[in-house]
Amino acid sequence: MPTVLFEAENRKVEVPEGTTLRKAAKQAGVSVYGSVNKILNCRGFGLCGTDRVLVSPKECANTPSFLERLALGEHAKARLACQTKITGDVVVSTAPALEYGVEMLDTVKFGLLAGVFGLLTLAAGVAMVFEMVGKPLF
């Protein structure tokens, strides 16, 4: 059975061949998601691109799937943990997932701020309509 070593967390786990890195990480008690992505992810369907990891040696993992190439690009160094199946002993770095989590947190903060300003603008527009009509519409 292949062994997976999660480098930064210093955790090692043996898994059957063909197991995804996401399942291996879960078995080892390691999170492959960073920051807000622990909540905002696709639960392993390969749609969100938030579980980015570095795998070495590359020969001990399957070739990148269509979903990986779509999310990360054709020549990306990182892999998606949910799409990477293990065929031999590998060393995994979860640093890309943590970095992407921080980046996504900034995006979520910006989205919330934009939403608040959007609501304020909408409220101002509704108030202006009420002023022009002279009475509430409902």
Side-chain angles (χ1 to χ4, degrees), residues 60-133:
C60 294
N62 64 332
T63 57
S65 67
F66 171 75
L67 291 173
E68 277 187 278
R69 292 192 308 270
L70 187 63
L72 303 175
E74 193 67 36
H75 303 290
K77 293 179 182 178
R79 299 287 307 268
L80 296 180
C82 62
Q83 299 295 304
T84 306
K85 294 184 179 177
I86 303 159
T87 58
D89 294 350
V90 293
V91 177
V92 178
S93 170
T94 56
L98 300 177
E99 291 168 8
Y100 188 65
V102 171
E103 182 181 321
M104 283 297 293
L105 183 61
D106 291 340
T107 303
V108 168
K109 285 179 187 176
F110 177 76
L112 289 173
L113 187 62
V116 167
F117 282 114
L119 287 174
L120 289 173
T121 304
L122 179 63
V126 169
M128 287 171 43
V129 167
F130 285 159
E131 283 291 320
M132 288 191 294
V133 174

Side-chain angles (χ1 to χ4, degrees), residues 3 12 16 21 34 39 41 45 49-50 54-55 61 66 72 77 81 84 86 88 95 100 112 114 116 124 132 134 137:
T3 302
K12 189 183 273 192
L21 283 176
I39 300 166
N41 65 67
F45 290 103
T50 58
L54 294 176
V55 181
F66 171 75
L72 303 175
K77 293 179 182 178
T84 306
I86 303 159
Y100 188 65
L112 289 173
V116 167
M132 288 191 294
L137 298 175

Side-chain angles (χ1 to χ4, degrees), residues 7-87:
E7 197 172 30
E9 295 81 5
N10 198 22
R11 300 232 177 124
K12 189 183 273 192
V13 65
E14 282 190 14
V15 294
E17 190 170 323
T19 303
T20 63
L21 283 176
R22 183 179 186 272
K23 288 181 182 175
K26 204 169 191 178
Q27 187 177 339
V30 173
S31 176
V32 291
Y33 300 103
S35 185
V36 72
N37 293 334
K38 292 178 183 178
I39 300 166
L40 302 175
N41 65 67
C42 66
R43 306 291 185 239
F45 290 103
L47 303 172
C48 63
T50 58
D51 56 348
R52 300 169 183 202
V53 294
L54 294 176
V55 181
S56 64
K58 292 182 180 187
E59 297 78 29
C60 294
N62 64 332
T63 57
S65 67
F66 171 75
L67 291 173
E68 277 187 278
R69 292 192 308 270
L70 187 63
L72 303 175
E74 193 67 36
H75 303 290
K77 293 179 182 178
R79 299 287 307 268
L80 296 180
C82 62
Q83 299 295 304
T84 306
K85 294 184 179 177
I86 303 159
T87 58

